[in-house]
Amino acid sequence: MKNLILAVCTALTLTGPALAQEAPDTLVTILTAPEPQTQLMAMVLAMQAAQQGAAPHILLCGPAGDIALNDAPASATAPQPPRDMSPKGLLGKIAEMPNAKVEVCAIYLPGKGLQADALMDGVTVAQPPAMAAAMIAPNARIASY
């Protein structure tokens, strides 16, 4: 019995640090949801993660890409309760952060028949190899909405 307790204590001592996870360097947020509340909440959580030290990397695909357009639809610019913030407004604040990266999917603009100049300042077109590398980076976390 004494040997069993010793073995368990030794195992816990050796695996304890492996079980503890460091805070991520980057939060990769993949947003496809069309609902303004979901879009805004994704931006709120990305901003909160940034304020806690994680670099935000946002990928907007499908209907969510519309919030990055200069001429965004009303659903992206309409204030949401309780703080009257819009998905596009908060996305703009994130895009201005020095360590942030905001991108639309590589197929978003061609699918809409648009060019890169249709995107708001601070938003670029994702390159699939670089995005895949960001997603599998060892110290990154992914949030998908």
Side-chain angles (χ1 to χ4, degrees):
M1 183 68 167
K2 196 176 198 180
N3 287 340
L4 178 61
I5 293 172
L6 181 60
V8 169
C9 288
T10 302
L12 289 175
T13 301
L14 295 175
T15 60
L19 295 175
Q21 293 186 354
E22 293 181 30
D25 291 331
T26 304
L27 176 63
V28 177
T29 300
I30 302 171
L31 179 59
T32 62
E35 302 86 10
Q37 284 184 343
T38 304
Q39 293 172 349
L40 181 58
M41 196 64 212
M43 297 303 106
V44 166
L45 294 174
M47 179 64 86
Q48 288 294 315
Q51 290 172 347
Q52 294 178 35
H57 188 161
I58 298 172
L59 178 66
L60 304 167
C61 297
D66 293 351
I67 68 176
L69 294 173
N70 286 320
D71 189 22
S75 62
T77 59
Q80 297 289 319
R83 296 204 174 156
D84 293 330
M85 183 62 95
S86 71
K88 182 177 175 143
L90 193 49
L91 178 69
K93 290 183 184 299
I94 293 170
E96 292 173 354
M97 298 172 72
N99 63 343
K101 188 177 272 191
V102 179
E103 301 174 309
V104 294
C105 287
I107 59 176
Y108 174 76
L109 290 174
K112 294 281 250 184
L114 299 171
Q115 300 296 318
D117 62 355
L119 298 173
M120 61 191 270
D121 289 341
V123 180
T124 60
V125 176
Q127 299 302 310
M131 191 67 228
M135 292 171 63
I136 63 171
N139 208 13
R141 299 258 172 79
I142 298 176
S144 182
Y145 306 88

